[in-house]
Each structure stands twice: as C-alpha cells, then as structure tokens.
Amino acid sequence: MEEPARLESRLRVAADGRVTVLSGKVEFGQGIRTAFARIVAEALDLPLDRIDVVLGDTALVPFDLGTFGSNSVAQDGPLLRRAAAFARELLLARAAKALGTPADRLDTSGGAVVTREGGRSIGYAELVREGPLEGPIPAEVHARPARPGVAAPAAYPLRLEARAIVTGRARYVGDVRLPGMARGRVLHPRQAGAHVGSFEAGAAGQVPGVLAVVHDGDFVGVVAERDEQALAAVQELRVSWDAPPPPSDAPVIEFALRDDPGQEEAFARALHVVEATYAAPPIANAPIGPSAAVADVRPEGTTVFAGTQRPFGLRAEAAAILGVPPEQVRVIPQLASGSYGRNSVNDAALEAVRLSRAAGRPVLVQWDREDELGISPARPAVYVEARAALAADGRIAAWQYDEFTNLHTHNPGTYRAVVDERYFGETSGRNALPPYELGPARVRVHVLESPIRTAAFRSLAAAPNVFAIESLMDELAARAAIDPLELRLRAVSDPRMRRVFEAVAERSGWGRAPRADGRALGIAGAVYHGTYVAEVVEVEVERASGRVRLARVWCAIDPGRVVHPEGVRNQTEGGIQQAASWTLLEELRHRHGRVTTTGWDTYPIATFRDAPATIDVAIVGDGSAPSTGAGEPGSVPVAAAVANAIAAACGARVRELPLTPERVRSALR
C-alpha cells in the first residue's frame, strides 16, 4: 500500500506565519500557482499575499511525473485542500492547549486562531514556535465550513504572477544569469534522426572567445564567452549528416478501442449512411520565445534552469548523461514563453548540461526560430476514415472509425519500447471514442512511424479526432435534414454533456438561419479528461475569395468543482484562440523528413487581427463533481465548429485542416 503523503512535504507554516505550498507541478500559463494558493488560503483563512507557492523545484517539492493533460488541479488540488485542512486541525489543537479553550470553541481568521466568543486570539506564527506541523495527511479530514465573505474570490488577484509579467519583472529561462556564465550553440541536423557522418572542427576553435568545441556522437556544439562568438564558431564547423532510413509503412501498433458485433447488419438496415475522410497536418508548438536553458555542472552537483513540464524527468535524463545519481542534479523550473507540450521534451536543457560539463562553466543555450520550427517535436498528422449511419428515428445506428497517426507524446525510448495499448489509446487515440450512443461500433487506432519528430501538443490527438467526429455528426445531420444540435441531443445520454450543449445553444441564439452576408453558426462538443465542453462559433465566409473570418465564439464548459473561475475562463479563451489559429492558418510542411516552414513568413500564426470580436465562456459545472481541469478542453471542439459553420454559411464541406481560402474555394467548386 502506498504511504500517505506527509504534511511537511506539501505545506509549511514558517516562523513569521507565512505559508509555503509545495507541488511538483509547473506553472506555464495555466494559473495553477494562483489556484493552489486559493485552495490553501480558503482552507486556512489566510490572506493570499501571505502564501508562497513553490512549483517543480526538485530539491524542495515531492516527486511528480509531470504537468500535462489538464490534470494539475485535478491531481494536486484535493491533496493540497486536505493538507491545509489537516494543518488547520493541528493549529486548532495547539491553540486549544495554549488558550485553555476546547478546540470546538475555536475558529480561524486572518492567519490566527480566535475564540468564537471573541476577545482572544493566537497567530499561526506563535503556534509553530514549538515545532513544525508534521504528520501523514489523513484520507478524510474535516474542512472549514464555507462562510460568506471569508476568502471571497473577488478579493483575490486574477493571477499571482500577472503584475510581474506585464511589468517585465518576471524571470523567463532566457533571463537567468549566473556568475561566469558562457553561451552555447548546438549544430542541429535539418532532418530528424540524422547521424553525424563526418566531423571537422575547422576554424571554430580559433574564433575569439570560444571556450570549447564539443563532438560526442551525434552531438555537436560550441561554448563561447558571448552568443555571437558561439554562433560564429558553429558556422565554422564542418559536419556531414547521414540521413536516417525512411519510416516504415507498416503500423507500429494497431488496436481497437471498441469493436462490437453486428456493425454491417446495422449499416444495411440504416436509412442514411455517410462515409468521409478527414485530415489534419503536423503543426508546430510555435512558442513566441524559442527553447532555452541554463546548466551549471559542478563536481559537487548540477543545477539546471529550464522551462520544463517534467522537472523530475529532466533530472533523471541529466543525471544519466553525467553518470551521477539523480539526487546530485537540481532542476529549477522557470517561466517559458509558450509551452503546449513542447517542454515535455527537454532538448535545450540537456544540451546545456553537455556543454556546461565540457566548458566547466555555467552555460546558457538559446535556440533560434529555425531550430524551433525545424527540429522541435510537432503535433503529428492525423488521417481518419469514417463511416456512420442514422436509423429512421434519427438516432445513430452504426459507426466505424479508423484513425491513422503517430506517437502523440514524449517517447521514453524507441517506438517499440512502448507496446501497451492503453498508453497509445490515451495518447494517440485520445478522444477517438465519441461521447454519443453509437449503436454497433468499431473504433480503431493505427500508430505509424513519422518522418519528423513528434511529441505532445495541447490535447494530443483529441482536437484532430473531434474535428473528424463532430464534422461527421454535422454531415449526418445534413443528410437526414436534422438540426445538428438536435442530432447531438438525441445521441447524448450523459446529463452533463446535454447541459453544456443546451447552455451554449441558448447563449449563442442557436437556430437562426445563415445570413445573406455569409455569416452562419457551427456547433461542436467533446468530453476531455472528464471536462465537458460545447462551443458555437459564428464565421463569415467570402464566397469569391474563400476567406473565413471567425467573428464570435460561445463556449459552455463543465470542469466540475471550480477553484478559480477567471482562471477557467482565461484558459478556455486562450485555448479557443490558439485552436482558431491552427484551424485556419497552421501547417508544418516537410519534404522527406526535412521541415520547410521554418519562419513566421512560411508558418503564420494568428495575431490580434485574427481574434474574434467576442469569446463568451459560461461555466456551467456542478460544484459537487471533482475538478477535472480547463487547460486544454476549450481548444478541442474549435476546428469542428468552424468547419461546420463554414458548411452552414456557404455549403462548402472542408475535411482537411487548415481551412484555407483555397480549400474553401475548392469545396465550393
């Protein structure tokens, strides 16, 4: 049986009464620092400005697998709530002894224990002078009853780190400066998996300021006093690269998420049958700031500053490179300028470790834009072959769905090192199962090798799968002349799914006819990691050019118990805007494994000019349900809703992302 977490590993009350919260999760824009602080503040009756949150520092926080899947609040929130409630119980017990008053006649307020009758109090700082609060956190602990006006959400800032970010005081990875720090540059191949065929240092070592030229297998880099010196030295290196063998056409693994008997019989009896294929290209994480990291390798221990989603994974990987126990490596996460799964792969950090070891100095490694777009892991392509049928009563009679894609997450070894179907089902097959009553159904996932690097991207395979599923739902509705919302409601048995569809329909005014100016509505929904989300978008389509403008978006989301409402709205709005970008603009093109779109001129992303006029987010969750996260769900239905709105506006059914003017015009023809 697993040992229960201990209070001192999660929460500490200092001698001045300040409380430190400890979590292995990492903040990279989701707002979890604020959410965790709010959880503890409410449980301990403590002002938010007296709480410090330490995230991901491997020397201070408990082990954690990483930050992904919109799971941070769902995983650590309940434990921190119990830890704070347990700490409050211990404080009440100590105060009862100090004040000579039974604990059931005491309460907490503003960082102190007070008598219910008033008049006497004792601060948390005084109560911990006899020793720290310690002990295993009980599985069940009595939480402080909610009281109106106590730790009210309105009294909290929207984001603890917001002021530092907007004033420029926040420290990102590239801002880290250490005494004696040098600069590193790495020569990357332009094709994933290429190997060094030949190496000559050339004149790299003679460039002024160069401290080391490093060649270790397929790793080639330099260290210099200044960045421009390191860049000049890299350009002097003479390296030839041997291309890897092309990926095999044979799937790495194939499996069924569902395979019911009677499918063909159900199709034969159905009134309407639709067959279609859908495709989504590889897309880049495209962070505004390319990857960076600082490493300081010393005999007594190594410190790494990185924008990582897996601090303990990075610690283990760095230790393996250095040949030391993981405990001799400390990873201190820093803010990263964009991380949607990209920082589950620690490229720059491990490069900094190698270069720091060679130079005997702290080293900052900073990638450039061509590196980031050209060789960093991308979201894989997804291709879907789908077939669905409706019965005479307008309900789904049968369903067949084959998804072809690549690995959608950080690869811990070779492809064949991971053969667990559940692992692939939760990553490459994420959301391939629709949230509807389907009749006899078959859903299969085919995972193939990729010619380019792939890894985790916001929602993994969920957004491409929902694009296909929810587009197919609209095509079924059109074939049977049924309202798309009505078709979905007939197929939904889960009351929470029904609630978000009905809520977003009401808020958007669903049901109004397309306008003469090319405006129309589209709808889509999904269940992502237990969070229910439905969206309606309004688009404007110019028939002559095929140009699509996203005008307005409505979203209803049910993430269970909500800790930070504005945080949920912020994450949902951001996910919608990012998904609109990859829906209308983004495609990472490559030729024989070599990425060709390596700049903003060839890989455009949405700007403020592309933002919809309004994004309306309604939180319709049941507060009694567990928290399920909001970092990714808002991005999942967007592409399908936009494609469905385009079809409603002009009759053009586009089944391949991005929904470019050329594809809209082609569909119109």
Side-chain angles (χ1 to χ4, degrees):
M1 181 179 294
E2 186 177 349
E3 291 290 327
R6 293 189 62 83
L7 177 61
E8 61 270 25
S9 73
R10 290 292 185 171
L11 188 149
R12 299 171 187 171
V13 181
D16 60 358
R18 295 188 65 81
V19 171
T20 298
V21 180
L22 304 165
S23 170
K25 300 299 182 186
V26 175
E27 173 70 63
F28 49 85
Q30 330 90 294
I32 62 171
R33 185 184 304 278
T34 305
F36 290 163
R38 289 182 67 149
I39 287 170
V40 173
E42 291 175 8
L44 279 176
D45 267 336
L46 200 64
L48 206 66
D49 60 7
R50 293 175 63 184
I51 294 181
D52 302 306
V53 182
V54 177
L55 299 173
D57 186 331
T58 59
L60 302 175
V61 304
F63 176 83
D64 193 284
L65 285 174
T67 308
F68 39 74
S70 300
N71 281 325
S72 295
V73 172
Q75 289 178 348
D76 270 19
L79 179 57
L80 291 174
R81 188 174 287 110
R82 294 204 329 265
F86 180 45
R88 183 175 181 271
E89 284 188 355
L90 296 179
L91 290 166
L92 288 171
R94 291 187 181 187
K97 181 179 177 182
L99 297 174
T101 303
D104 60 5
R105 294 175 60 187
L106 298 175
D107 205 342
T108 51
S109 177
V113 177
V114 299
T115 57
R116 292 188 184 276
E117 295 79 9
R120 291 193 297 164
S121 67
I122 184 169
Y124 294 168
E126 187 174 348
L127 291 171
V128 297
R129 286 176 187 167
E130 66 182 73
L133 303 180
E134 297 177 330
I137 302 170
E140 300 290 337
V141 60
H142 178 70
R144 175 187 66 76
R147 296 194 302 275
V150 176
Y156 291 160
L158 298 184
R159 189 70 63 83
L160 288 178
E161 64 274 13
R163 181 176 295 276
I165 290 173
V166 300
T167 59
R169 294 200 306 272
R171 187 167 81 163
Y172 289 80
V173 184
D175 297 325
V176 174
R177 296 292 181 270
L178 301 179
M181 188 177 78
R183 299 300 184 100
R185 285 276 181 165
V186 175
L187 184 64
H188 298 115
R190 288 301 160 206
Q191 185 174 0
H195 301 284
V196 171
S198 64
F199 169 83
E200 293 181 16
Q206 281 70 57
V207 173
V210 168
L211 302 172
V213 176
V214 183
H215 172 215
D216 181 8
D218 294 326
F219 179 81
V220 179
V222 299
V223 182
E225 295 287 356
R226 300 198 304 271
D227 188 57
E228 67 272 18
Q229 296 168 334
L231 180 59
V234 161
Q235 294 171 344
E236 293 293 332
L237 298 174
R238 301 291 178 261
V239 179
S240 66
W241 299 94
D242 293 337
S248 170
D249 292 333
V252 175
I253 186 171
E254 297 177 292
F255 58 93
L257 293 171
R258 179 172 170 178
D259 196 356
D260 304 329
Q263 296 165 38
E264 293 306 324
E265 294 84 349
F267 275 107
R269 293 191 303 267
L271 183 61
H272 302 285
V273 177
V274 173
E275 294 187 42
T277 60
Y278 304 92
I283 57 176
N285 279 270
I288 295 299
S291 297
V294 173
D296 187 5
V297 179
R298 299 174 181 269
E300 63 272 20
T302 295
T303 305
V304 182
F305 300 84
T308 178
Q309 293 173 231
R310 300 185 303 110
F312 287 90
L314 171 55
R315 183 181 73 163
E317 292 160 0
I321 288 173
L322 298 172
V324 300
E327 294 73 21
Q328 291 186 21
V329 178
R330 179 183 184 183
V331 175
I332 306 177
Q334 306 293 302
L335 284 174
S337 52
S339 179
Y340 310 103
R342 165 69 182 98
N343 289 336
S344 64
V345 182
N346 297 302
D347 298 295
L350 297 176
E351 291 172 353
V353 167
R354 289 177 180 271
L355 294 178
S356 177
R357 176 179 61 180
R361 300 259 296 269
V363 173
L364 165 64
V365 168
Q366 174 76 64
W367 284 26
D368 60 25
R369 180 61 54 197
E370 186 176 5
D371 285 335
E372 194 61 58
L373 286 173
I375 64 163
S376 69
R379 187 184 78 181
V382 175
Y383 178 78
V384 170
E385 296 175 349
R387 181 184 181 209
L390 284 183
D393 63 358
R395 297 181 186 276
I396 300 173
W399 187 275
Q400 291 178 343
Y401 187 93
D402 283 86
E403 177 203 357
F404 300 84
T405 188
N406 316 118
L407 196 63
H408 275 259
T409 189
H410 171 66
N411 193 358
T414 65
Y415 268 90
R416 292 171 179 81
V418 181
V419 295
D420 180 11
E421 289 184 4
R422 180 179 175 185
Y423 172 85
F424 282 109
E426 292 177 349
T427 56
S428 295
R430 184 168 293 182
N431 278 75
L433 284 170
Y436 303 116
E437 298 296 321
L438 301 176
R442 184 194 71 212
V443 177
R444 295 190 301 200
V445 179
H446 312 259
V447 182
L448 298 92
E449 293 180 343
S450 171
I452 63 173
R453 292 182 73 200
T454 66
F457 184 91
R458 195 172 195 168
S459 88
L460 279 71
N465 276 320
V466 171
F467 166 65
I469 290 166
E470 291 293 279
S471 294
L472 183 59
M473 289 293 287
D474 260 44
E475 295 203 56
L476 281 171
R479 178 70 59 87
I482 300 173
D483 178 82
L485 173 63
E486 177 59 29
L487 176 64
R488 288 170 170 82
L489 294 179
R490 290 179 188 180
V492 167
S493 60
D494 189 322
R496 294 176 71 183
M497 190 78 240
R498 175 176 292 271
R499 184 186 303 125
V500 294
F501 271 128
E502 291 175 338
V504 79
E506 180 181 358
R507 295 179 75 90
S508 64
W510 177 262
R512 60 181 182 270
R515 292 177 10 181
D517 62 359
R519 286 202 178 205
L521 302 179
I523 193 168
V527 183
Y528 182 84
H529 271 202
T531 293
Y532 296 75
V533 59
E535 294 172 353
V536 170
V537 306
E538 183 178 51
V539 302
E540 181 179 322
V541 182
E542 294 178 356
R543 278 181 169 271
S545 67
R547 180 178 176 272
V548 177
R549 187 176 73 84
L550 184 58
R552 292 189 289 177
V553 182
W554 297 264
C555 175
I557 185 168
D558 174 2
R561 180 175 183 173
V562 175
V563 173
H564 186 13
E566 286 307 314
V568 171
R569 291 189 181 92
N570 291 344
Q571 281 296 287
T572 304
E573 291 171 4
I576 288 169
Q577 182 60 73
Q578 183 185 24
S581 180
W582 76 57
T583 296
L584 297 172
L585 297 170
E586 297 182 38
E587 180 175 4
L588 194 69
R589 297 189 181 93
H590 60 92
R591 184 179 296 112
H592 305 303
R594 184 182 179 118
V595 172
T596 59
T597 46
T598 56
W600 294 134
D601 56 337
T602 53
Y603 189 89
I605 60 174
T607 66
F608 283 113
R609 293 177 299 177
D610 303 299
T614 59
I615 300 178
D616 175 83
V617 178
I619 301 171
V620 298
D622 178 358
S624 64
S627 299
T628 49
E632 296 168 289
S635 67
V636 173
V638 173
V642 173
N644 292 339
I646 293 171
C650 65
R653 172 56 63 181
V654 186
R655 300 185 180 94
E656 183 176 1
L657 297 177
L659 308 176
T660 61
E662 294 78 14
R663 287 181 176 139
V664 173
R665 292 199 306 270
S666 177
L668 281 169
R669 289 193 294 270

